[in-house]
Amino acid sequence: MSIFEKKQAREAILERLAQGPKGGRGQFRRLAEALDVSTTLISQIFQGEKHFSQEQAMAVCELLGFTDLESEYLLSLTQWERAGTPTLKSHLEKRLVALRRESQRIAGRIKKDIDLSDKNRQTYYSAWYYSAIRLIISLPGFDSVDAIAAHFGLSIKRTREVLQFLIESGLVLEKNGKLSFGPPSTYLEPDSPLVNRHHSNWRIKGMEKMDAYLPSDFFYTAPLTISREHAQAFQRRLADLIVELTDKVAVSDSEAFYCFNIDWFEVKR
C-alpha cells in the first residue's frame, strides 16, 4: 500500500517501516536515536497521543529515504494534524488531495540519466527498434551489429544506422570497436507530443507477441466497474510499482529483455 493512501503521519511512517528489515520491528529505538528523543515519546506519537514536529518529520523522511513527493506529503500530514483551526485544516486538506493526485503520476518520481535534444527525441521515439537496440546491448552476446540484427530480424544496414545514431546521441558507448550500454535511464513526460508514438510502438510489439505466446509471457485485459476512490488508490499503487521496477532495473543484472506495458483508463467518450 502507498503512503499516499494514509490519512495520518504515523500510519505513513509505519507503512515505510514495514517495508524494512524484520517488517519494522525494533525500529522505534532507531527513530528515537535519530531524532534524539526518548523511546517513550516515539511510543506516544505512534499511539496517537502526540504528533511529530515539522523538524522531526523531515528527519524521519531523510532517515527512511522518502522521495521529495513523499516527504512533502508527510510534512503536510504533520501540519494538518497539528492545525489549530478548521480553516487551516481545510486548506491543508486541499494540499493533501493535490499531492495524492500528483502521486498517481510517474513524472518526477523516475530519475533521468540523460536528456535528449528535441531532434534526437523525435528520432529515438520514432520506432521501437531504437530503444530495443539500445537496451539489448546490456545483455551478454549482443555487442556486435550482426548479433543485434539477427535477434530482431532487422537488416544490417538499418541496424548500423540506428547504432550510429545511438552512439552520436550518447545512448550507446563504443570503445575499441566494442559496444556497451550508455546512461541507464531516459523518461518521456506524459504530456510530450511523442508519448503516443512511444506507447503505440511497444503495444504493436505486444500484439505481435500474442500470436507467438510463450509461457514466460503475460497478457491480461479486464474491463471493469469500480468506485472512483478505489480506482485512484489502484492507480497510485501502479505508479509505486513502476517506480519500484525502475529502481530494481538499476541494480539488477541484465539477463533477459522484457517489455512492460500498462493501460489503465476510464472508458467514456
Side-chain angles (χ1 to χ4, degrees):
M1 182 177 290
S2 167
I3 71 164
F4 296 99
E5 298 176 40
K6 301 302 184 181
K7 302 298 177 66
Q8 295 178 321
R10 65 177 184 274
E11 291 180 352
I13 295 170
L14 286 172
E15 175 70 20
R16 179 53 52 85
L17 289 174
Q19 299 170 8
K22 300 180 181 179
R25 292 191 300 275
Q27 294 300 301
F28 281 10
R29 182 174 296 279
R30 178 187 173 206
L31 285 177
E33 292 174 352
L35 300 179
D36 194 23
V37 299
S38 68
T39 54
T40 299
L41 177 59
I42 295 296
S43 296
Q44 290 173 333
I45 290 173
F46 283 100
Q47 289 169 6
E49 300 171 10
K50 294 189 177 182
H51 302 291
F52 284 112
S53 68
Q54 287 285 280
E55 292 78 12
Q56 290 169 337
M58 189 70 248
V60 170
C61 291
E62 294 174 348
L63 178 67
L64 300 183
F66 278 36
T67 65
D68 289 345
L69 191 62
E70 289 172 338
S71 298
E72 191 170 354
Y73 184 75
L74 185 68
L75 291 170
S76 296
L77 267 182
T78 304
Q79 287 180 302
W80 180 83
E81 289 174 341
R82 299 178 69 93
T85 65
T87 302
L88 180 55
K89 273 192 174 291
S90 177
H91 173 77
L92 292 169
E93 178 61 33
K94 292 176 183 177
R95 178 60 182 155
L96 290 169
V97 170
L99 289 169
R100 291 185 194 114
R101 289 175 180 162
E102 178 65 20
S103 75
Q104 295 173 226
R105 293 169 56 90
I106 306 169
R109 301 180 63 190
I110 295 179
K111 179 183 176 182
K112 289 189 296 184
D113 294 296
I114 189 171
D115 279 311
L116 297 175
S117 68
D118 289 341
K119 181 180 179 180
N120 284 346
R121 279 190 174 201
Q122 291 281 348
T123 300
Y124 184 68
Y125 291 107
S126 66
W128 65 271
Y129 43 73
Y130 284 92
S131 56
I133 291 175
R134 168 178 168 261
L135 289 167
I136 204 168
I137 286 174
S138 67
L139 302 183
F142 291 99
D143 57 354
S144 71
V145 173
D146 289 348
I148 294 169
H151 183 80
F152 288 126
L154 297 170
S155 68
I156 295 294
K157 179 176 181 294
R158 170 58 66 187
T159 304
R160 287 190 185 280
E161 290 172 345
V162 173
L163 280 170
Q164 186 62 37
F165 165 79
L166 294 172
I167 292 168
E168 290 176 354
S169 59
L171 292 168
V172 167
L173 306 179
E174 183 181 31
K175 185 176 182 180
N176 299 326
K178 291 292 185 180
L179 302 172
S180 61
F181 194 55
S185 178
T186 62
Y187 183 71
L188 191 62
E189 291 77 8
D191 57 354
S192 168
L194 300 173
V195 74
N196 286 346
R197 173 62 65 86
H198 179 55
H199 289 321
S200 298
N201 288 339
W202 284 105
R203 276 155 181 76
I204 290 171
K205 295 303 293 182
M207 288 187 285
E208 291 175 0
K209 281 291 294 181
M210 290 178 195
D211 293 329
Y213 182 82
L214 297 175
S216 59
D217 296 336
F218 183 88
F219 298 100
Y220 181 74
T221 301
L224 50 85
T225 58
I226 191 174
S227 72
R228 292 195 181 278
E229 179 183 359
H230 288 157
Q232 291 168 1
F234 182 66
Q235 185 169 338
R236 283 192 292 270
R237 295 186 70 180
L238 287 177
D240 289 341
L241 175 64
I242 293 169
V243 174
E244 178 186 347
L245 176 63
T246 304
D247 290 342
K248 289 185 182 299
V249 166
V251 299
S252 175
D253 292 333
S254 296
E255 298 174 346
F257 186 4
Y258 280 79
C259 178
F260 182 50
N261 292 335
I262 288 182
D263 296 310
W264 175 254
F265 55 92
E266 185 174 358
V267 182
K268 64 179 182 180
R269 184 175 179 179

